Amino acid sequence: MKNKIIINKEFVLGTIEKDVWGSFIEHMGRAVYGGIYEPTHPLADETGFRKDVTETVRALSVPKIRYPGGNFLSGYDWRDGIGKDRPVRLDLAWGQLETNEVGLHEFCNWAEKTGAEVMMSVNMGTGTPKDAAQLVEYCNHEKGTALSELRRKNGREKPFGIKTWCIGNEMDGDWQICALTAEEYGRKAAETAKMMRRVDSNIELVVCGSSTPDLNTYPEWDRIVLQHTYDLVDYLSMHRYYTYPNDTQNVTDFLSSHTDFDAFIKTVVAAADYVKAYRRSKKRMKISVDEWNIWHTKPSPNGLDVHNDCNEERWTKGARRVENIYDLADALAFAGMACTLINNADRVKMGCLAQLVNVIAPIFTEVGGGLFRQTIYYPYQMAIQFAKGQALRTVVCGEKMESCYGDTEKVYTACAYDNGTYSLFAINKTSETQACDLDFQVLPARMIERIELSGGLHDYNTLQTPDKVIPKNVACDRGTKRIHTVELPAYSFTLIRFSEEK
Ligand code: AHR
């Protein structure tokens, strides 16, 4: 049966903020050491960062990068990463050695080279509200205080001017160093926010929401934390990773993860709106999905090791940690998550693909060697480039299929409308070609470009075969019509761009 997809520019969901397409670098595994930073690499610049990695991140136009954690954050003292004497510490989050060669200045200088803003996080585990406020002062206060003068002495005369700050990381998880109850965290986050804002009233703050819907504190955690912090913060964060559900290798279930992701976002929004109503507030809480991705903790059907064991190479610097190698199925499930962010653009105003290099990442490097782009790189790149402007609500009329998340569409879509151009993202989640009528209803449109990611479901890229799974331009019918008929190949992700014609 043919699917009908309605694209109507009057069905506006909301503005897609560019910060939705941010990413994340944590002091974890080979993200920093042996990833972005490798002073002995032939392509290292004068500061020890790999020029090929910097250039790849820059070319991707990542708008914002969250730093320095993640779970690492909750045992980290930012003072260890400034000045000349850098202590070597045990990182209790990931069982690694932290040499502190890379700290605040090194990371911010690198981010500047990539063109990305820094989204800084403050430690709410072992850290105090005072540590957090002092970090804001160190980074953003111009001069004349002990901390701002220390920054200047350490080589940065002008303030870093960091705008976005996360108050801790996943404080609801028992895996977190010094995890807190919702009441404890809500109070601590509120007092921290107050102090940080008094140092710099221009900053925006993100408070920890639920780190996963799998914890039994969800969604009460979100409600309680917001009861304490609603007026003091700008964003409520949420994190979500998907793998094959229920320990099966059922592809339909996996590719339908977007259904669950959508429900998670809507529940977090509902918890925030409950607090809004309870407090008679006029403010609409924004959502920051500041960790999202595919993460297999056990070998996925492509059979590759995932390095999920934190006892591997314990207490070494740059040990391998969660280095998933992604196949086409992963890219399709990932694209589903990206489409869900677009489809919730009215509330999701910030996001971070976790992570950017080596650790569950789109960019993969070898120590002393080259780099390659993983399958998930491509839907991420297309989202950064084309998912902007207004998100339109698309309607898919077609046969549904069963999944562990309930009945779900065979073709999942999202659409951005920017300056007279539509970018339609479509995932065919089935093993058959899906014929679709794309119905523009209001005005005819001209197809201008069609890009497709398809192939063997478990194909993946490597250093030796970096182009096994890459997007291909597909010849498109450039006619101007109100209804365009297209065929989406089995298990594929397609971007079709149209210009509006009057
Ligand atoms: O991104 C990897 C880890 O996942 C982060 O450190 C943590 O916040 C989450 O559990």
Side-chain angles (χ1 to χ4, degrees), residues 15-21 338-339 341-343 345 379-391 414-418 422-425 495 497:
T15 301
I16 308 168
E17 299 298 337
K18 81 171 180 353
D19 285 349
V20 167
W21 307 118
C339 286
L341 295 177
I342 299 170
N343 288 333
Y380 181 49
Q381 180 199 36
M382 289 187 234
I384 294 178
Q385 207 179 340
F386 297 115
K388 55 186 177 193
Q390 302 296 307
C415 187
Y417 175 78
D418 188 36
Y422 299 88
S423 297
L424 175 74
F425 302 89
L495 163 67
R497 303 186 62 237

PDB file of all heavy atoms in Angstrom, residues 15-21 338-339 341-343 345 379-391 414-418 422-425 495 497:
ATOM      1  N   THR A  15      10.247  26.718  16.168  1.00  0.00           N
ATOM      2  CA  THR A  15      11.548  27.015  15.557  1.00  0.00           C
ATOM      3  C   THR A  15      12.567  25.959  15.982  1.00  0.00           C
ATOM      4  O   THR A  15      12.636  25.588  17.158  1.00  0.00           O
ATOM      5  CB  THR A  15      12.027  28.406  16.022  1.00  0.00           C
ATOM      6  OG1 THR A  15      11.035  29.347  15.619  1.00  0.00           O
ATOM      7  CG2 THR A  15      13.363  28.783  15.433  1.00  0.00           C
ATOM      8  N   ILE A  16      13.342  25.486  15.015  1.00  0.00           N
ATOM      9  CA  ILE A  16      14.431  24.549  15.339  1.00  0.00           C
ATOM     10  C   ILE A  16      15.650  25.394  15.693  1.00  0.00           C
ATOM     11  O   ILE A  16      16.207  26.086  14.833  1.00  0.00           O
ATOM     12  CB  ILE A  16      14.761  23.630  14.138  1.00  0.00           C
ATOM     13  CG1 ILE A  16      13.499  22.953  13.596  1.00  0.00           C
ATOM     14  CG2 ILE A  16      15.823  22.618  14.520  1.00  0.00           C
ATOM     15  CD1 ILE A  16      13.691  22.264  12.255  1.00  0.00           C
ATOM     16  N   GLU A  17      16.041  25.365  16.958  1.00  0.00           N
ATOM     17  CA  GLU A  17      17.214  26.145  17.374  1.00  0.00           C
ATOM     18  C   GLU A  17      18.476  25.435  16.902  1.00  0.00           C
ATOM     19  O   GLU A  17      18.558  24.211  16.971  1.00  0.00           O
ATOM     20  CB  GLU A  17      17.256  26.275  18.900  1.00  0.00           C
ATOM     21  CG  GLU A  17      16.063  26.982  19.507  1.00  0.00           C
ATOM     22  CD  GLU A  17      15.916  28.429  19.055  1.00  0.00           C
ATOM     23  OE1 GLU A  17      16.907  29.046  18.628  1.00  0.00           O
ATOM     24  OE2 GLU A  17      14.764  28.939  19.109  1.00  0.00           O
ATOM     25  N   LYS A  18      19.469  26.209  16.486  1.00  0.00           N
ATOM     26  CA  LYS A  18      20.679  25.540  15.998  1.00  0.00           C
ATOM     27  C   LYS A  18      21.365  24.741  17.108  1.00  0.00           C
ATOM     28  O   LYS A  18      21.981  23.710  16.862  1.00  0.00           O
ATOM     29  CB  LYS A  18      21.618  26.534  15.306  1.00  0.00           C
ATOM     30  CG  LYS A  18      22.492  27.369  16.209  1.00  0.00           C
ATOM     31  CD  LYS A  18      23.523  28.128  15.374  1.00  0.00           C
ATOM     32  CE  LYS A  18      24.471  29.017  16.122  1.00  0.00           C
ATOM     33  NZ  LYS A  18      24.339  29.281  17.525  1.00  0.00           N
ATOM     34  N   ASP A  19      21.185  25.187  18.366  1.00  0.00           N
ATOM     35  CA  ASP A  19      21.825  24.487  19.488  1.00  0.00           C
ATOM     36  C   ASP A  19      21.277  23.090  19.741  1.00  0.00           C
ATOM     37  O   ASP A  19      21.842  22.337  20.535  1.00  0.00           O
ATOM     38  CB  ASP A  19      21.688  25.321  20.773  1.00  0.00           C
ATOM     39  CG  ASP A  19      22.628  26.511  20.764  1.00  0.00           C
ATOM     40  OD1 ASP A  19      23.518  26.560  19.886  1.00  0.00           O
ATOM     41  OD2 ASP A  19      22.479  27.398  21.625  1.00  0.00           O
ATOM     42  N   VAL A  20      20.195  22.735  19.070  1.00  0.00           N
ATOM     43  CA  VAL A  20      19.679  21.360  19.198  1.00  0.00           C
ATOM     44  C   VAL A  20      20.721  20.373  18.657  1.00  0.00           C
ATOM     45  O   VAL A  20      20.776  19.219  19.058  1.00  0.00           O
ATOM     46  CB  VAL A  20      18.341  21.219  18.437  1.00  0.00           C
ATOM     47  CG1 VAL A  20      17.938  19.767  18.271  1.00  0.00           C
ATOM     48  CG2 VAL A  20      17.253  21.972  19.178  1.00  0.00           C
ATOM     49  N   TRP A  21      21.577  20.864  17.749  1.00  0.00           N
ATOM     50  CA  TRP A  21      22.527  19.963  17.088  1.00  0.00           C
ATOM     51  C   TRP A  21      23.927  20.040  17.694  1.00  0.00           C
ATOM     52  O   TRP A  21      24.928  19.815  17.028  1.00  0.00           O
ATOM     53  CB  TRP A  21      22.532  20.220  15.574  1.00  0.00           C
ATOM     54  CG  TRP A  21      21.146  20.147  15.017  1.00  0.00           C
ATOM     55  CD1 TRP A  21      20.460  21.152  14.401  1.00  0.00           C
ATOM     56  CD2 TRP A  21      20.245  19.029  15.071  1.00  0.00           C
ATOM     57  NE1 TRP A  21      19.194  20.726  14.064  1.00  0.00           N
ATOM     58  CE2 TRP A  21      19.037  19.429  14.471  1.00  0.00           C
ATOM     59  CE3 TRP A  21      20.331  17.728  15.573  1.00  0.00           C
ATOM     60  CZ2 TRP A  21      17.926  18.579  14.355  1.00  0.00           C
ATOM     61  CZ3 TRP A  21      19.234  16.882  15.461  1.00  0.00           C
ATOM     62  CH2 TRP A  21      18.060  17.307  14.860  1.00  0.00           C
ATOM     63  N   ALA A 338      16.976  11.802  15.691  1.00  0.00           N
ATOM     64  CA  ALA A 338      17.140  13.177  15.193  1.00  0.00           C
ATOM     65  C   ALA A 338      15.794  13.730  14.716  1.00  0.00           C
ATOM     66  O   ALA A 338      15.434  14.889  15.005  1.00  0.00           O
ATOM     67  CB  ALA A 338      18.172  13.207  14.072  1.00  0.00           C
ATOM     68  N   CYS A 339      15.025  12.894  14.006  1.00  0.00           N
ATOM     69  CA  CYS A 339      13.703  13.349  13.528  1.00  0.00           C
ATOM     70  C   CYS A 339      12.794  13.671  14.720  1.00  0.00           C
ATOM     71  O   CYS A 339      11.983  14.610  14.667  1.00  0.00           O
ATOM     72  CB  CYS A 339      13.057  12.283  12.651  1.00  0.00           C
ATOM     73  SG  CYS A 339      13.832  12.175  11.029  1.00  0.00           S
ATOM     74  N   LEU A 341      13.724  14.841  17.582  1.00  0.00           N
ATOM     75  CA  LEU A 341      14.097  16.167  18.109  1.00  0.00           C
ATOM     76  C   LEU A 341      13.423  17.261  17.270  1.00  0.00           C
ATOM     77  O   LEU A 341      12.904  18.246  17.811  1.00  0.00           O
ATOM     78  CB  LEU A 341      15.620  16.343  18.110  1.00  0.00           C
ATOM     79  CG  LEU A 341      16.400  15.410  19.054  1.00  0.00           C
ATOM     80  CD1 LEU A 341      17.903  15.626  18.907  1.00  0.00           C
ATOM     81  CD2 LEU A 341      15.987  15.634  20.511  1.00  0.00           C
ATOM     82  N   ILE A 342      13.410  17.064  15.950  1.00  0.00           N
ATOM     83  CA  ILE A 342      12.748  18.054  15.076  1.00  0.00           C
ATOM     84  C   ILE A 342      11.244  18.078  15.388  1.00  0.00           C
ATOM     85  O   ILE A 342      10.632  19.151  15.494  1.00  0.00           O
ATOM     86  CB  ILE A 342      12.975  17.699  13.586  1.00  0.00           C
ATOM     87  CG1 ILE A 342      14.464  17.704  13.256  1.00  0.00           C
ATOM     88  CG2 ILE A 342      12.200  18.659  12.671  1.00  0.00           C
ATOM     89  CD1 ILE A 342      14.801  17.136  11.879  1.00  0.00           C
ATOM     90  N   ASN A 343      10.669  16.901  15.563  1.00  0.00           N
ATOM     91  CA  ASN A 343       9.225  16.816  15.802  1.00  0.00           C
ATOM     92  C   ASN A 343       8.805  17.333  17.177  1.00  0.00           C
ATOM     93  O   ASN A 343       7.612  17.413  17.469  1.00  0.00           O
ATOM     94  CB  ASN A 343       8.741  15.376  15.596  1.00  0.00           C
ATOM     95  CG  ASN A 343       8.754  14.994  14.121  1.00  0.00           C
ATOM     96  OD1 ASN A 343       8.636  15.866  13.253  1.00  0.00           O
ATOM     97  ND2 ASN A 343       8.927  13.724  13.814  1.00  0.00           N
ATOM     98  N   ALA A 345      10.338  20.249  18.293  1.00  0.00           N
ATOM     99  CA  ALA A 345      11.085  21.515  18.265  1.00  0.00           C
ATOM    100  C   ALA A 345      10.396  22.630  19.051  1.00  0.00           C
ATOM    101  O   ALA A 345      11.020  23.637  19.383  1.00  0.00           O
ATOM    102  CB  ALA A 345      11.292  21.961  16.822  1.00  0.00           C
ATOM    103  N   PRO A 379      23.605  11.208   9.108  1.00  0.00           N
ATOM    104  CA  PRO A 379      22.345  11.865   9.504  1.00  0.00           C
ATOM    105  C   PRO A 379      22.581  13.072  10.412  1.00  0.00           C
ATOM    106  O   PRO A 379      21.833  14.055  10.351  1.00  0.00           O
ATOM    107  CB  PRO A 379      21.565  10.771  10.240  1.00  0.00           C
ATOM    108  CG  PRO A 379      22.399   9.548  10.231  1.00  0.00           C
ATOM    109  CD  PRO A 379      23.617   9.776   9.406  1.00  0.00           C
ATOM    110  N   TYR A 380      23.651  12.995  11.224  1.00  0.00           N
ATOM    111  CA  TYR A 380      23.965  14.144  12.095  1.00  0.00           C
ATOM    112  C   TYR A 380      24.354  15.350  11.230  1.00  0.00           C
ATOM    113  O   TYR A 380      23.851  16.463  11.423  1.00  0.00           O
ATOM    114  CB  TYR A 380      25.095  13.744  13.049  1.00  0.00           C
ATOM    115  CG  TYR A 380      25.525  14.821  14.030  1.00  0.00           C
ATOM    116  CD1 TYR A 380      24.592  15.527  14.791  1.00  0.00           C
ATOM    117  CD2 TYR A 380      26.874  15.134  14.210  1.00  0.00           C
ATOM    118  CE1 TYR A 380      24.995  16.507  15.692  1.00  0.00           C
ATOM    119  CE2 TYR A 380      27.285  16.101  15.113  1.00  0.00           C
ATOM    120  CZ  TYR A 380      26.340  16.789  15.845  1.00  0.00           C
ATOM    121  OH  TYR A 380      26.737  17.766  16.738  1.00  0.00           O
ATOM    122  N   GLN A 381      25.218  15.106  10.243  1.00  0.00           N
ATOM    123  CA  GLN A 381      25.644  16.202   9.368  1.00  0.00           C
ATOM    124  C   GLN A 381      24.458  16.808   8.615  1.00  0.00           C
ATOM    125  O   GLN A 381      24.314  18.030   8.517  1.00  0.00           O
ATOM    126  CB  GLN A 381      26.671  15.665   8.367  1.00  0.00           C
ATOM    127  CG  GLN A 381      27.180  16.706   7.404  1.00  0.00           C
ATOM    128  CD  GLN A 381      27.798  16.065   6.172  1.00  0.00           C
ATOM    129  OE1 GLN A 381      27.334  15.040   5.679  1.00  0.00           O
ATOM    130  NE2 GLN A 381      28.870  16.674   5.705  1.00  0.00           N
ATOM    131  N   MET A 382      23.579  15.949   8.123  1.00  0.00           N
ATOM    132  CA  MET A 382      22.413  16.459   7.373  1.00  0.00           C
ATOM    133  C   MET A 382      21.500  17.263   8.288  1.00  0.00           C
ATOM    134  O   MET A 382      20.917  18.264   7.874  1.00  0.00           O
ATOM    135  CB  MET A 382      21.658  15.307   6.727  1.00  0.00           C
ATOM    136  CG  MET A 382      22.411  14.680   5.578  1.00  0.00           C
ATOM    137  SD  MET A 382      21.355  13.473   4.737  1.00  0.00           S
ATOM    138  CE  MET A 382      22.357  12.035   4.762  1.00  0.00           C
ATOM    139  N   ALA A 383      21.381  16.823   9.545  1.00  0.00           N
ATOM    140  CA  ALA A 383      20.539  17.568  10.491  1.00  0.00           C
ATOM    141  C   ALA A 383      21.153  18.950  10.746  1.00  0.00           C
ATOM    142  O   ALA A 383      20.450  19.971  10.699  1.00  0.00           O
ATOM    143  CB  ALA A 383      20.390  16.783  11.797  1.00  0.00           C
ATOM    144  N   ILE A 384      22.469  18.992  10.997  1.00  0.00           N
ATOM    145  CA  ILE A 384      23.099  20.296  11.259  1.00  0.00           C
ATOM    146  C   ILE A 384      22.883  21.225  10.065  1.00  0.00           C
ATOM    147  O   ILE A 384      22.540  22.393  10.203  1.00  0.00           O
ATOM    148  CB  ILE A 384      24.615  20.141  11.531  1.00  0.00           C
ATOM    149  CG1 ILE A 384      24.864  19.379  12.822  1.00  0.00           C
ATOM    150  CG2 ILE A 384      25.290  21.513  11.585  1.00  0.00           C
ATOM    151  CD1 ILE A 384      26.337  19.143  13.143  1.00  0.00           C
ATOM    152  N   GLN A 385      23.081  20.659   8.874  1.00  0.00           N
ATOM    153  CA  GLN A 385      23.027  21.500   7.675  1.00  0.00           C
ATOM    154  C   GLN A 385      21.613  21.910   7.268  1.00  0.00           C
ATOM    155  O   GLN A 385      21.392  23.049   6.856  1.00  0.00           O
ATOM    156  CB  GLN A 385      23.690  20.728   6.533  1.00  0.00           C
ATOM    157  CG  GLN A 385      24.269  21.637   5.489  1.00  0.00           C
ATOM    158  CD  GLN A 385      24.940  20.836   4.373  1.00  0.00           C
ATOM    159  OE1 GLN A 385      25.281  19.661   4.550  1.00  0.00           O
ATOM    160  NE2 GLN A 385      25.114  21.470   3.230  1.00  0.00           N
ATOM    161  N   PHE A 386      20.667  20.980   7.411  1.00  0.00           N
ATOM    162  CA  PHE A 386      19.353  21.262   6.822  1.00  0.00           C
ATOM    163  C   PHE A 386      18.182  21.344   7.803  1.00  0.00           C
ATOM    164  O   PHE A 386      17.117  21.847   7.430  1.00  0.00           O
ATOM    165  CB  PHE A 386      19.027  20.214   5.746  1.00  0.00           C
ATOM    166  CG  PHE A 386      20.002  20.244   4.596  1.00  0.00           C
ATOM    167  CD1 PHE A 386      20.833  19.161   4.352  1.00  0.00           C
ATOM    168  CD2 PHE A 386      20.105  21.355   3.777  1.00  0.00           C
ATOM    169  CE1 PHE A 386      21.741  19.184   3.301  1.00  0.00           C
ATOM    170  CE2 PHE A 386      21.010  21.399   2.723  1.00  0.00           C
ATOM    171  CZ  PHE A 386      21.827  20.306   2.484  1.00  0.00           C
ATOM    172  N   ALA A 387      18.353  20.814   9.026  1.00  0.00           N
ATOM    173  CA  ALA A 387      17.224  20.881   9.967  1.00  0.00           C
ATOM    174  C   ALA A 387      17.284  22.221  10.690  1.00  0.00           C
ATOM    175  O   ALA A 387      17.773  22.326  11.817  1.00  0.00           O
ATOM    176  CB  ALA A 387      17.266  19.705  10.937  1.00  0.00           C
ATOM    177  N   LYS A 388      16.818  23.250  10.021  1.00  0.00           N
ATOM    178  CA  LYS A 388      16.794  24.591  10.611  1.00  0.00           C
ATOM    179  C   LYS A 388      15.559  25.333  10.110  1.00  0.00           C
ATOM    180  O   LYS A 388      14.885  24.875   9.194  1.00  0.00           O
ATOM    181  CB  LYS A 388      18.070  25.342  10.269  1.00  0.00           C
ATOM    182  CG  LYS A 388      18.383  25.430   8.805  1.00  0.00           C
ATOM    183  CD  LYS A 388      19.749  26.076   8.628  1.00  0.00           C
ATOM    184  CE  LYS A 388      20.127  26.127   7.177  1.00  0.00           C
ATOM    185  NZ  LYS A 388      21.498  26.447   6.947  1.00  0.00           N
ATOM    186  N   GLY A 389      15.303  26.470  10.733  1.00  0.00           N
ATOM    187  CA  GLY A 389      14.082  27.216  10.373  1.00  0.00           C
ATOM    188  C   GLY A 389      12.921  26.720  11.217  1.00  0.00           C
ATOM    189  O   GLY A 389      13.052  26.515  12.425  1.00  0.00           O
ATOM    190  N   GLN A 390      11.795  26.466  10.551  1.00  0.00           N
ATOM    191  CA  GLN A 390      10.598  26.014  11.270  1.00  0.00           C
ATOM    192  C   GLN A 390      10.433  24.505  11.118  1.00  0.00           C
ATOM    193  O   GLN A 390      10.605  23.970  10.018  1.00  0.00           O
ATOM    194  CB  GLN A 390       9.339  26.675  10.684  1.00  0.00           C
ATOM    195  CG  GLN A 390       9.355  28.188  10.713  1.00  0.00           C
ATOM    196  CD  GLN A 390       9.367  28.703  12.146  1.00  0.00           C
ATOM    197  OE1 GLN A 390       8.531  28.319  12.952  1.00  0.00           O
ATOM    198  NE2 GLN A 390      10.328  29.568  12.455  1.00  0.00           N
ATOM    199  N   ALA A 391      10.098  23.835  12.208  1.00  0.00           N
ATOM    200  CA  ALA A 391       9.750  22.412  12.112  1.00  0.00           C
ATOM    201  C   ALA A 391       8.283  22.335  11.706  1.00  0.00           C
ATOM    202  O   ALA A 391       7.434  23.019  12.292  1.00  0.00           O
ATOM    203  CB  ALA A 391       9.961  21.717  13.444  1.00  0.00           C
ATOM    204  N   ALA A 414      10.241  13.731   9.320  1.00  0.00           N
ATOM    205  CA  ALA A 414      10.254  15.053   9.960  1.00  0.00           C
ATOM    206  C   ALA A 414      10.547  16.047   8.845  1.00  0.00           C
ATOM    207  O   ALA A 414      11.118  15.672   7.812  1.00  0.00           O
ATOM    208  CB  ALA A 414      11.343  15.123  11.029  1.00  0.00           C
ATOM    209  N   CYS A 415      10.146  17.288   9.044  1.00  0.00           N
ATOM    210  CA  CYS A 415      10.364  18.262   7.970  1.00  0.00           C
ATOM    211  C   CYS A 415      10.735  19.634   8.530  1.00  0.00           C
ATOM    212  O   CYS A 415      10.136  20.095   9.509  1.00  0.00           O
ATOM    213  CB  CYS A 415       9.090  18.370   7.127  1.00  0.00           C
ATOM    214  SG  CYS A 415       9.309  19.394   5.661  1.00  0.00           S
ATOM    215  N   ALA A 416      11.739  20.251   7.901  1.00  0.00           N
ATOM    216  CA  ALA A 416      12.118  21.623   8.258  1.00  0.00           C
ATOM    217  C   ALA A 416      11.786  22.528   7.084  1.00  0.00           C
ATOM    218  O   ALA A 416      11.950  22.131   5.927  1.00  0.00           O
ATOM    219  CB  ALA A 416      13.606  21.673   8.570  1.00  0.00           C
ATOM    220  N   TYR A 417      11.338  23.723   7.394  1.00  0.00           N
ATOM    221  CA  TYR A 417      10.996  24.690   6.344  1.00  0.00           C
ATOM    222  C   TYR A 417      11.764  25.969   6.631  1.00  0.00           C
ATOM    223  O   TYR A 417      11.626  26.578   7.691  1.00  0.00           O
ATOM    224  CB  TYR A 417       9.482  24.965   6.376  1.00  0.00           C
ATOM    225  CG  TYR A 417       9.031  26.029   5.420  1.00  0.00           C
ATOM    226  CD1 TYR A 417       8.897  25.744   4.059  1.00  0.00           C
ATOM    227  CD2 TYR A 417       8.741  27.326   5.859  1.00  0.00           C
ATOM    228  CE1 TYR A 417       8.483  26.724   3.170  1.00  0.00           C
ATOM    229  CE2 TYR A 417       8.325  28.300   4.976  1.00  0.00           C
ATOM    230  CZ  TYR A 417       8.203  28.001   3.634  1.00  0.00           C
ATOM    231  OH  TYR A 417       7.791  28.961   2.752  1.00  0.00           O
ATOM    232  N   ASP A 418      12.650  26.324   5.691  1.00  0.00           N
ATOM    233  CA  ASP A 418      13.519  27.469   5.927  1.00  0.00           C
ATOM    234  C   ASP A 418      13.590  28.322   4.665  1.00  0.00           C
ATOM    235  O   ASP A 418      14.084  27.837   3.630  1.00  0.00           O
ATOM    236  CB  ASP A 418      14.913  26.942   6.313  1.00  0.00           C
ATOM    237  CG  ASP A 418      15.834  28.048   6.770  1.00  0.00           C
ATOM    238  OD1 ASP A 418      15.359  28.984   7.422  1.00  0.00           O
ATOM    239  OD2 ASP A 418      17.036  27.963   6.467  1.00  0.00           O
ATOM    240  N   TYR A 422      11.924  23.351   1.695  1.00  0.00           N
ATOM    241  CA  TYR A 422      11.543  22.258   2.605  1.00  0.00           C
ATOM    242  C   TYR A 422      12.668  21.230   2.623  1.00  0.00           C
ATOM    243  O   TYR A 422      13.179  20.874   1.549  1.00  0.00           O
ATOM    244  CB  TYR A 422      10.311  21.517   2.086  1.00  0.00           C
ATOM    245  CG  TYR A 422       9.056  22.331   1.934  1.00  0.00           C
ATOM    246  CD1 TYR A 422       8.791  23.027   0.758  1.00  0.00           C
ATOM    247  CD2 TYR A 422       8.093  22.348   2.947  1.00  0.00           C
ATOM    248  CE1 TYR A 422       7.615  23.745   0.595  1.00  0.00           C
ATOM    249  CE2 TYR A 422       6.902  23.065   2.789  1.00  0.00           C
ATOM    250  CZ  TYR A 422       6.681  23.754   1.614  1.00  0.00           C
ATOM    251  OH  TYR A 422       5.508  24.450   1.445  1.00  0.00           O
ATOM    252  N   SER A 423      13.016  20.725   3.800  1.00  0.00           N
ATOM    253  CA  SER A 423      13.927  19.571   3.893  1.00  0.00           C
ATOM    254  C   SER A 423      13.145  18.468   4.583  1.00  0.00           C
ATOM    255  O   SER A 423      12.847  18.546   5.775  1.00  0.00           O
ATOM    256  CB  SER A 423      15.164  19.918   4.719  1.00  0.00           C
ATOM    257  OG  SER A 423      15.880  20.947   4.078  1.00  0.00           O
ATOM    258  N   LEU A 424      12.822  17.443   3.803  1.00  0.00           N
ATOM    259  CA  LEU A 424      12.049  16.329   4.353  1.00  0.00           C
ATOM    260  C   LEU A 424      12.997  15.175   4.664  1.00  0.00           C
ATOM    261  O   LEU A 424      13.779  14.753   3.812  1.00  0.00           O
ATOM    262  CB  LEU A 424      11.001  15.868   3.332  1.00  0.00           C
ATOM    263  CG  LEU A 424      10.213  14.628   3.770  1.00  0.00           C
ATOM    264  CD1 LEU A 424       9.199  14.979   4.862  1.00  0.00           C
ATOM    265  CD2 LEU A 424       9.501  13.983   2.577  1.00  0.00           C
ATOM    266  N   PHE A 425      12.951  14.708   5.904  1.00  0.00           N
ATOM    267  CA  PHE A 425      13.768  13.562   6.324  1.00  0.00           C
ATOM    268  C   PHE A 425      12.828  12.366   6.434  1.00  0.00           C
ATOM    269  O   PHE A 425      11.784  12.460   7.092  1.00  0.00           O
ATOM    270  CB  PHE A 425      14.407  13.832   7.690  1.00  0.00           C
ATOM    271  CG  PHE A 425      15.284  15.068   7.710  1.00  0.00           C
ATOM    272  CD1 PHE A 425      14.749  16.324   8.017  1.00  0.00           C
ATOM    273  CD2 PHE A 425      16.631  14.979   7.410  1.00  0.00           C
ATOM    274  CE1 PHE A 425      15.546  17.460   8.029  1.00  0.00           C
ATOM    275  CE2 PHE A 425      17.437  16.115   7.424  1.00  0.00           C
ATOM    276  CZ  PHE A 425      16.905  17.354   7.733  1.00  0.00           C
ATOM    277  N   LEU A 495      16.966  12.221   2.538  1.00  0.00           N
ATOM    278  CA  LEU A 495      16.676  13.652   2.674  1.00  0.00           C
ATOM    279  C   LEU A 495      16.242  14.141   1.304  1.00  0.00           C
ATOM    280  O   LEU A 495      16.967  13.964   0.319  1.00  0.00           O
ATOM    281  CB  LEU A 495      17.937  14.401   3.136  1.00  0.00           C
ATOM    282  CG  LEU A 495      17.933  15.919   2.937  1.00  0.00           C
ATOM    283  CD1 LEU A 495      16.891  16.595   3.825  1.00  0.00           C
ATOM    284  CD2 LEU A 495      19.309  16.506   3.235  1.00  0.00           C
ATOM    285  N   ARG A 497      14.914  17.599  -0.691  1.00  0.00           N
ATOM    286  CA  ARG A 497      14.730  19.040  -0.530  1.00  0.00           C
ATOM    287  C   ARG A 497      13.885  19.574  -1.670  1.00  0.00           C
ATOM    288  O   ARG A 497      14.020  19.164  -2.827  1.00  0.00           O
ATOM    289  CB  ARG A 497      16.098  19.732  -0.429  1.00  0.00           C
ATOM    290  CG  ARG A 497      16.888  19.112   0.742  1.00  0.00           C
ATOM    291  CD  ARG A 497      18.191  19.802   1.018  1.00  0.00           C
ATOM    292  NE  ARG A 497      17.945  21.171   1.399  1.00  0.00           N
ATOM    293  CZ  ARG A 497      18.455  22.206   0.767  1.00  0.00           C
ATOM    294  NH1 ARG A 497      19.219  22.064  -0.270  1.00  0.00           N
ATOM    295  NH2 ARG A 497      18.188  23.437   1.184  1.00  0.00           N
TER     296      ARG A 497
END
